[in-house]
Amino acid sequence: MKIYAVQMQIKAEAFEENFETIQKEILKAKASSCDLVVFPENCLSGSMLDSLWDSPSFFAICETYHQKMMAISDSIGILYISHGQWFCFLDGVQKTLQSDALSTPILNIKNYKIALLSAKNLEISDEIDFIICLKNEFFFMDSSPFQWPYSKPGFLLNAVGTQNTGKAVYALMGLSKIIDANAQVLYEAPFLEEKSFLLEWNQAFQLPETPSVPLSYWSRVQKALIYMIRENLYRWGIKKIVIGASGGIDSALAAVLYTKALGPQNVILVNLPTQFNSQITKNAAKKLAENLTCPYLEIPISDTLEVIKNNIETYAKNSLFAMEGIHFENLQARARSSMFLASIASMNSAAFTSNANKTELFTGYCTLYGDTSGVLCALGDLWKTEVYALAEAINMDSLVIPTETLTIRPSAELSEEHNIEEGRGDPIQYEYHDLLFRYWLQSKRNLEDTKKLLLDGNFFLETKVPPKIFNKLFSSIDEAVLDMTYWWKRYKGIALAKRLQTPPILQLHQKELAFGAFIESQN
């Protein structure tokens, strides 16, 4: 029995485009004299369609394309699953699927009994020859290692592409697999690439070809981010992007990812210094642009800020606060994003980005209408320490991110309190706080639980915080409690309002919840 499996790119709501891909693959399968061609879950419509489920016309469109699939099954079996329902067409008619005692659909073809699964860990009867599992899997940095829970051979077919909830963007990862009766992976298709493969069954699977070379952990993360950036901007009709290049790590990593996604000629890096920006970071921003060969602008904005500040102070004399301190810091962030970057993007028929990372969004250490603004938030599901790890992995291949960017203390450079030349910077101690924040998010524990861990002596075991780092930061448990109380209140307070207003975030973590659920969990 010859089976043609199609790891295809699925585009949400793009019925006609998906169907054209399906037609081309069916012609290839027919040319190879295959008995059955198999497509991934929701190959016609895509997933995460939200309100379309309430639309009667949506199901009418689905039915129209099911009929089209039936019409091209004149000499080959076509198998796929659409929104929980299996479809199998052969010779222009819909083939009846049997069910075993556990209601698992069974396909009888060429005298073979094939179990059809859309979920794992179901019991399979001994009469089954092999299994076809169609359950699209998304790429997450923290996914558990692959396990095949059956004593029967089979193959797992995944799609590639991006799907979104309107707030978070996900990548369908591919990596379709052929598995033997001992649960050993015999073949693995490429990561985030379309791939069709022919396999023959004769009491065992004959491998189609040599499996692709696996990518390293950080190579997969980088490829997933680049893929999601490229696919979503293409879908939205955005061909150019403007990035505020501060000389810091977040904007540098964002610049590398967008450049690889769109090409250097389509990424405009803009440095917007004030009197608080050091020559070190200004030089680093320029060097980054040179390394990436991107267009680069340096536009000092101190004079503009002074005009705005003076106008506000002149005409808002009865205001409770003066335009200084945190208010002037926020003015700088808002002017950079909502005024300068947005205007430059408009002048170039482009969009601009949010470079916020997950640590900043978790704590609200970001400015509404400032660095939370933009068309897409590519780093929004990377903790700050993960931003550094990915940047360092990229530099292992090619030294594009300047050394200064990787070694200076992270700083917003919005006041003298952020002066990196004097060793000052962000109030978040990322090596410590990332572990604490991740613990809160993963374990769903609260502040009181964490205080108790400190008193019981189980804090380091549960949070994975190294005692050496903790002792360097805090001289007493009371001091540590004050610090975590401050950040917990931000996490449960103003940070929630800011997270709700971020651009779409590229989702990379599973156990720490998608950002949609992340937001809901605060209520």
Side-chain angles (χ1 to χ4, degrees), residues 291-311:
N291 291 346
L292 294 172
T293 68
C294 292
Y296 179 73
L297 300 172
E298 182 178 316
I299 306 175
I301 63 172
S302 290
D303 290 347
T304 303
L305 292 170
E306 282 301 313
V307 170
I308 297 172
K309 178 179 182 292
N310 291 337
N311 275 3

Side-chain angles (χ1 to χ4, degrees), residues 269-273 279 282-283 285-286 296-301:
L269 302 186
V270 185
N271 185 250
L272 300 166
Q279 197 61 46
K282 286 189 285 187
N283 290 344
K286 186 176 181 180
Y296 179 73
L297 300 172
E298 182 178 316
I299 306 175
I301 63 172

Side-chain angles (χ1 to χ4, degrees), residues 11 15 21 92 181 213 227 271 338 384 402 445:
K11 298 184 178 180
F15 282 92
T21 299
V213 178
Y227 183 85
N271 185 250
S338 300
K384 184 78 166 189
R445 300 296 178 88

Side-chain angles (χ1 to χ4, degrees), residues 2-3 27-36 75-76 198:
K2 295 176 71 174
I3 303 172
L27 287 176
K28 294 176 185 177
K30 288 179 177 178
S32 298
S33 301
C34 291
D35 301 295
L36 182 68
S75 62
I76 192 169
L198 178 66

Side-chain angles (χ1 to χ4, degrees), residues 477-496:
I477 288 179
D478 288 343
E479 191 177 340
V481 168
L482 282 175
D483 176 83
M484 64 176 60
T485 300
Y486 171 77
W487 292 114
W488 177 265
K489 287 181 178 179
R490 288 189 65 93
Y491 163 49
K492 288 292 188 178
I494 189 61
L496 174 57

Side-chain angles (χ1 to χ4, degrees), residues 301-472:
I301 63 172
S302 290
D303 290 347
T304 303
L305 292 170
E306 282 301 313
V307 170
I308 297 172
K309 178 179 182 292
N310 291 337
N311 275 3
I312 291 174
E313 289 181 338
T314 298
Y315 293 102
K317 295 178 180 178
N318 296 325
S319 177
L320 182 61
F321 299 107
M323 178 54 73
E324 58 188 28
I326 187 64
H327 312 297
F328 189 61
E329 292 178 23
N330 285 336
L331 174 63
Q332 295 170 63
R334 292 185 179 117
R336 282 180 170 129
S337 294
S338 300
M339 183 186 299
F340 284 92
L341 295 181
S343 297
I344 293 167
S346 178
M347 292 163 62
N348 287 275
S349 299
F352 73 99
T353 68
S354 167
N355 299 328
N357 60 60
K358 189 167 188 170
T359 309
E360 293 168 347
L361 296 176
F362 185 91
T363 59
Y365 186 63
C366 46
T367 303
L368 273 177
Y369 325 120
D371 47 341
T372 58
S373 302
V375 71
L376 198 63
C377 188
L379 310 183
D381 200 28
L382 284 172
W383 299 103
K384 184 78 166 189
T385 46
E386 291 174 332
V387 170
Y388 275 102
L390 179 54
E392 288 167 357
I394 287 172
N395 266 16
M396 291 290 288
D397 295 328
S398 177
L399 192 61
V400 293
I401 298 177
T403 303
E404 306 93 291
T405 297
L406 288 163
T407 55
I408 57 174
R409 180 173 174 180
S411 173
E413 291 194 298
L414 297 173
S415 73
E416 284 300 332
E417 292 302 313
H418 301 152
N419 192 323
I420 62 167
E421 293 176 338
E422 297 177 3
R424 303 178 186 183
D426 294 347
I428 306 174
Q429 304 297 323
Y430 295 102
E431 286 187 339
Y432 164 72
H433 285 112
D434 275 5
L435 292 171
L436 176 64
F437 301 156
R438 176 179 286 193
Y439 170 74
W440 283 340
L441 193 53
Q442 276 188 340
S443 66
K444 300 181 182 178
R445 300 296 178 88
N446 58 31
L447 177 62
E448 294 306 313
D449 295 328
T450 319
K451 289 180 183 177
K452 188 173 184 298
L453 288 176
L454 276 172
L455 296 174
D456 293 347
N458 294 318
F459 177 79
F460 302 116
L461 179 65
E462 292 289 327
T463 63
K464 312 301 181 189
V465 170
K468 184 178 180 180
I469 291 176
F470 182 89
N471 293 331
K472 182 179 178 181

